[in-house]
Amino acid sequence: MKTQTIAKQLHALGNPTRLAIYRQLVRAGETGMPVGKVQKALKIPASTLTHHLQRLIGAELVKQERDGNELFCSVNFDKMRTMINFLEEECCADVCDTAMAS
Amino acid sequence: MKTQTIAKQLHALGNPTRLAIYRQLVRAGETGMPVGKVQKALKIPASTLTHHLQRLIGAELVKQERDGNELFCSVNFDKMRTMINFLEEECCADVCDTAMAS
DNA sequence: ACTATATTTCTAGAAATATAGTAATAGTTT
DNA sequence: AAACTATTACTATATTTCTAGAAATATAGT
């Protein structure tokens, strides 16, 4: 069920540390950045960082790819879009009035 | 800190039951719908529902307003927008390439 | 006051989570 | 292969969360 998947993704982002990691990666764009660089940027103990990254990867929000010595992490932007759409779609499907005027 | 606030909101949505509740309310638009109606629609025990609603309210994603016997719940669409923007803003700020072409 | 309906508080057990130290592994370079 | 860097697995502890039953409270109608 889709709700499960999206909830898992939102849950993954629903932690200040992970949200900071994710944002850092969002800034890094398609190229992404190596784990070590994230660690230095945010000053998170390596073991803690791995734990959180696994969470984000498990939710398919982030992917990893090795480049020699380093492991590059990057955001899965498609999934991000899908997740956001899920929240917005069917807005006011039952009662349509002034909501979401943006 | 803003990250804390947004993380709290994402966390609030990061539970299948709560996500279902939230979506139900998104569908209901500005008018919202009473707690009892949500309960019937989703078949959640009242006490459990209250617990989850408090979570959503605590995150300022949902607000309540009494109308006689019933307590109407409705989505705070402004906060929703802010939350989503937080995820998207600064996208690729560090490295700008093909990401998020939508 | 009595009754009905709507919603919340109290409570608690089971499961999941966050954090981080230490040990281990994998890949690179010399 | 040894030394080095990068990353993960193992482990432990404190804390939070999910769930829902039973009792309590709030509001309205009679």
Side-chain angles (χ1 to χ4, degrees), chain A residues 90-97, chain B residues 22-33 73-74 77:
Chain A
E90 295 189 47
C91 171
C92 318
D94 294 346
V95 180
C96 241
D97 49 22
Chain B
Y22 187 75
R23 277 198 114 207
Q24 187 74 225
L25 295 178
V26 166
R27 292 179 61 96
E30 290 283 344
T31 316
M33 61 194 286
C73 308
S74 59
F77 286 99

Side-chain angles (χ1 to χ4, degrees), chain B residues 47-80:
Chain B
S47 62
T48 305
L49 177 56
T50 293
H51 168 247
H52 286 308
L53 278 174
Q54 291 312 321
R55 213 54 132 49
L56 291 168
I57 291 165
E60 294 189 294
L61 287 171
V62 167
K63 51 192 187 311
Q64 282 182 329
E65 195 178 355
R66 183 167 283 279
D67 178 20
N69 215 4
E70 291 171 321
L71 198 54
F72 272 75
C73 308
S74 59
V75 167
N76 188 334
F77 286 99
D78 282 351
K79 300 283 182 181
M80 179 180 173

